[in-house]
Amino acid sequence: MDALQEKRYISKKETADFLIGLSGQNMVYSLIGASFFTYFMTDIAMFPAAVVSVLLIVMKVWDGVNDPIVGSFIDRHTFKNGEKLRPFLKYTPLPVSVFTVLLFLVFSTAEDLLWLRVSYFVIIYICWDLAYTVQDVAVWGITAMASPNSNERDRFVQWARTIGSCLFGVLSTVIPMVLEMIANAKGFSMALVTLVFAVIFGLGGAMLSYRCYKTQERVCVNLTDRQSSLAESFSLLFKNKMLLLVTLSNLFGSLGFGASLVTYFFKYEIPGDFLGNNALSGIIGALGLTTLYFALTTVPSFIGMMLADKLKKWLGGYVNVLILIQIVNIIVRVIAYFVGFEGKRLWIAMLIIGIGSLPSGASSIAQTSIFCDSIDYMEWKTGKRTEGITFSVQTSFTKISSGITSGLATLALSILGYRAIDNAQVYVGTQTAMFDKWIWPLVILTPAIASVLYIIPLLFIRYNKEKRAIVESDLKARRLGEKESGLSPYVTQK
């Protein structure tokens, strides 16, 4: 093994600082990036479902335009100290925290002020998104620059994705349940409790994310040419086939919008005594049951995070890991659908989905590793590193996918004749017959259909471990001024 691969660059303290900062960032995103945000808009801020659908589409169109521009700017800009990403990690936490709190401020639910509330919401979201995008691109972009040792980088990414995903998964499911329980037990309004939680987790989390600034940049951007224009950045983007194919898979995955309807399913289809006739069931509402559902169906995925590296070795690469995850998801969801949700069957259905989620935790680790590989490949092929545009596309399409999922979910609610009902004693039987008929198949089967589509682009990725070894060897030689293999177009065209 060559010296570059043997040497380790990232200290334990640096890793710990990054993971703490990443945890803070996920505290913020747990309020906005999960299905609770859609529920907040429809049932707490009381925006009509049709309005929410339009809002989500508009916001995600903004994401699609904003994020790649931010990424291109980052790739074309270097600070006076020679760093590319670290300073962004220092200056973005404060604006992220302020706009997060303002985003959850519900100043009125009156219908005649709807236009004003919508305008306020869109403006604050645009400001929040711009600040968060710069931070998120820098956070994940620096994982590709923390070490020139790809094996060490993969381990760093695995820890980052594991800790980040675990915390996001826990907070995004527990926060809504605790929030609703406090509101029910104390008689506070959901809007007030939500704002308090936004201050605690939004402000506190954003300040904690400052710790990511401790991470060092060790892949010197001055060794490669920088893009000279936005047009060149986008031309490089369209040459990165690995990135484009994984991104296309994620877009297909967003069609599984039924996962965003789980809260509505529990609120209007599952009786209040589902957990038994006791005091606890009186304060655990739809958000609490949603937390229970996601706990049973996603907690096993944490095992997949810890086994990500082994799965990669067993299956011959992370692309095959992603394909396996989707195949398992298809099988278990079809089985769960036919099991049904009447009575105790719902417990069985949730258990089946939970078992099927075992390998899914490796998904985010696999994708980030593939993106890092694509950055190395683009440097090998063109002489230019693209951390900014690559991870801005990841950020952009993560949010676009989330918007598509939420937008389709709220559109489906509108088509099914859904209307939010507040402070009722009994919710079961209060929605339309169409809602009652279709909510279960939408919740369970749309993610399975999305998984079928997700697999297709992955079949066209042709980056194996032999190709990766050539790229790493040539990049090492290039940085040391030594002779390369001669296979790189960048070298042959010079």
Side-chain angles (χ1 to χ4, degrees):
M1 184 179 291
D2 60 57
L4 181 66
Q5 291 298 312
E6 290 179 350
K7 184 176 180 181
R8 294 191 176 186
Y9 298 82
I10 309 172
S11 68
K12 292 181 179 180
K13 184 179 184 305
E14 184 178 332
T15 300
D17 280 328
F18 183 81
L19 295 178
I20 292 171
L22 183 65
S23 298
Q25 190 203 30
N26 276 277
M27 288 171 65
V28 175
Y29 199 61
S30 64
L31 294 170
I32 299 172
S35 59
F36 170 72
F37 192 57
T38 302
Y39 184 81
F40 164 77
M41 296 172 71
T42 59
D43 285 43
I44 298 176
M46 298 301 288
F47 290 124
V51 172
V52 173
S53 181
V54 173
L55 279 175
L56 290 169
I57 292 173
V58 170
M59 291 188 298
K60 300 314 171 181
V61 168
W62 160 252
D63 287 340
V65 173
N66 164 58
D67 289 15
I69 293 176
V70 169
S72 174
F73 169 77
I74 290 175
D75 277 336
R76 291 184 289 113
H77 179 270
T78 302
F79 288 86
K80 290 182 180 180
N81 62 358
E83 293 179 330
K84 178 179 179 180
L85 299 173
R86 286 184 73 242
F88 290 118
L89 299 176
K90 181 179 182 180
Y91 298 116
T92 51
L94 181 59
V96 167
S97 66
V98 172
F99 290 122
T100 299
V101 174
L102 293 177
L103 196 58
F104 287 93
L105 177 61
V106 180
F107 55 84
S108 174
T109 57
E111 291 187 9
D112 58 341
L113 292 178
L114 180 61
W115 67 272
L116 181 60
R117 295 195 296 123
V118 169
S119 300
Y120 168 84
F121 189 84
V122 170
I123 291 171
I124 297 300
Y125 180 85
I126 288 174
C127 295
W128 174 86
D129 183 66
L130 180 60
Y132 185 84
T133 296
V134 175
Q135 182 187 45
D136 201 45
V137 171
V139 164
W140 291 109
I142 207 167
T143 63
M145 303 183 73
S147 173
N149 181 336
S150 63
N151 290 326
E152 183 181 35
R153 182 187 67 201
D154 280 352
R155 290 191 295 269
F156 187 61
V157 166
Q158 181 172 355
W159 274 108
R161 282 299 184 187
T162 299
I163 298 299
S165 296
C166 286
L167 192 68
F168 174 78
V170 170
L171 290 178
S172 62
T173 53
V174 172
I175 286 176
M177 179 183 71
V178 175
L179 187 155
E180 185 180 49
M181 290 177 67
I182 292 175
N184 290 341
K186 300 297 183 180
F188 298 143
S189 72
M190 288 286 286
L192 175 61
V193 181
T194 300
L195 182 61
V196 172
F197 272 60
V199 172
I200 296 172
F201 292 94
L203 181 61
M207 292 298 97
L208 196 61
S209 68
Y210 173 80
R211 297 288 288 275
C212 288
Y213 175 67
K214 304 293 184 180
T215 307
Q216 302 298 311
E217 295 183 12
R218 296 183 177 86
V219 177
C220 182
V221 296
N222 293 326
L223 292 175
T224 58
D225 299 325
R226 293 198 302 270
Q227 297 94 301
S228 59
S229 66
L230 179 63
E232 185 180 10
S233 294
F234 275 91
S235 70
L236 290 172
L237 171 63
F238 287 105
K239 291 179 182 178
N240 193 336
K241 292 183 179 179
M242 279 192 287
L243 171 65
L244 294 177
L245 288 170
V246 174
T247 299
L248 182 59
S249 287
N250 285 332
L251 282 178
F252 285 149
S254 69
L255 300 178
F257 61 88
S260 295
L261 297 174
V262 172
T263 302
Y264 303 94
F265 167 74
F266 277 110
K267 186 172 184 177
Y268 297 103
E269 299 298 320
I270 303 302
D273 61 354
F274 177 67
L275 296 178
N277 295 311
N278 51 62
L280 186 62
S281 65
I283 60 174
I284 294 183
L287 291 173
L289 292 176
T290 300
T291 299
L292 176 63
Y293 172 85
F294 282 119
L296 291 176
T297 58
T298 61
V299 167
S301 68
F302 296 156
I303 297 175
M305 294 179 188
M306 304 307 298
L307 296 177
D309 188 58
K310 293 186 180 298
L311 288 173
K312 179 185 72 172
K313 293 177 180 178
W314 292 339
L315 298 172
Y318 274 132
V319 173
N320 292 335
V321 172
L322 292 177
I323 293 174
L324 172 69
I325 291 170
Q326 304 308 316
I327 291 174
V328 173
N329 187 54
I330 294 167
I331 294 172
V332 298
R333 284 188 170 273
V334 170
I335 295 173
Y337 170 73
F338 285 106
V339 168
F341 66 91
E342 295 82 3
K344 301 300 181 182
R345 291 186 179 185
L346 180 57
W347 291 104
I348 300 174
M350 290 192 292
L351 180 61
I352 292 171
I353 295 175
I355 294 173
S357 74
L358 281 169
S360 65
S363 179
S364 60
I365 297 170
Q367 289 192 34
T368 304
S369 179
I370 292 171
F371 286 152
C372 289
D373 282 343
S374 78
I375 292 170
D376 283 349
Y377 180 70
M378 289 303 295
E379 182 186 3
W380 177 80
K381 185 177 179 180
T382 68
K384 302 175 190 292
R385 288 189 71 84
T386 57
E387 285 89 357
I389 194 70
T390 297
F391 283 99
S392 72
V393 168
Q394 182 197 29
T395 301
S396 175
F397 280 92
T398 296
K399 289 185 285 188
I400 289 174
S401 297
S402 173
I404 292 173
T405 299
S406 300
L408 289 175
T410 50
L411 179 61
L413 289 175
S414 182
I415 293 173
L416 296 178
Y418 172 78
R419 184 173 179 82
I421 299 174
D422 194 24
N423 296 324
Q425 294 296 319
V426 178
Y427 292 99
V428 176
T430 58
Q431 293 296 329
T432 65
M434 186 177 293
F435 180 96
D436 294 338
K437 177 181 178 181
W438 286 102
I439 190 67
W440 174 248
L442 288 176
V443 166
I444 299 300
L445 292 182
T446 55
I449 295 171
S451 287
V452 174
L453 299 174
Y454 187 104
I455 292 173
I456 297 173
L458 299 179
L459 300 177
F460 294 90
I461 295 179
R462 300 285 186 268
Y463 193 77
N464 53 34
K465 62 180 181 180
E466 290 79 14
K467 185 74 171 181
R468 188 188 199 193
I470 293 173
V471 169
E472 291 177 4
S473 176
D474 279 354
L475 288 181
K476 176 197 170 185
R478 187 178 302 175
R479 289 164 184 153
L480 296 175
E482 299 175 353
K483 185 177 180 180
E484 300 181 34
S485 66
L487 298 175
S488 165
Y490 176 71
V491 173
T492 57
Q493 293 172 8
K494 287 182 66 176

